Amino acid sequence: MLKTHAKYHLGQVLRHRKHPFRGVVFDVDAIFSNTDEWYDAIPEDSRPSKDQPFYHLLAENDQSYYVAYVSEQNLVEDHSGEPIEHPDLPDLFGDFEDGQYPLQVQLN
């Protein structure tokens, strides 16, 4: 079943349901839009459905900063109140406020 609305929004801080990382949403795909190679690299018993929103996150864990691509089913809201320290945040967002980041760039 194709879902028509994304649950999360740009600038929202989320965490992965299973893996120890958090991130800020900077883009959303209505359905899976990555490569088949990327998708096939996920263990079959953990593979999410392609017919759901997928989120691009400026992500961080205890060791590094990176960009993550995560299905909606694997994300939950982060209620820690802690900011994200990803070095690319200032390129897209304003200062952390009320648990989220305001968008600071013009979108097409």
Side-chain angles (χ1 to χ4, degrees):
M1 179 175 132
L2 181 60
K3 188 174 176 181
T4 58
H5 296 287
K7 183 176 182 179
Y8 305 116
H9 58 82
L10 300 182
Q12 190 169 6
V13 178
L14 304 173
R15 65 180 176 81
H16 196 281
R17 186 179 299 277
K18 298 175 185 174
H19 301 291
F21 72 84
R22 304 165 59 232
V24 178
V25 177
F26 72 91
D27 195 12
V28 182
D29 295 334
I31 59 172
F32 179 80
S33 295
N34 208 330
T35 66
D36 288 333
E37 292 168 338
W38 183 92
Y39 188 77
D40 292 342
I42 300 169
E44 192 170 345
D45 61 340
S46 299
R47 249 180 239 155
S49 166
K50 291 183 177 182
D51 293 337
Q52 64 179 308
F54 276 73
Y55 297 81
H56 300 260
L57 304 175
L58 295 176
E60 67 181 21
N61 61 27
D62 290 341
Q63 291 86 31
S64 65
Y65 303 106
Y66 51 97
V67 172
Y69 191 66
V70 186
S71 64
E72 187 170 273
Q73 75 185 52
N74 284 320
L75 291 169
V76 294
E77 291 183 49
D78 180 88
H79 296 290
S80 70
E82 296 293 319
I84 299 291
E85 303 295 331
H86 196 289
D88 294 337
L89 272 170
D91 294 340
L92 300 173
F93 298 101
D95 294 335
F96 186 65
E97 185 177 304
D98 297 325
Q100 60 185 359
Y101 289 89
L103 197 58
Q104 292 293 100
V105 297
Q106 183 67 34
L107 299 176
N108 292 335

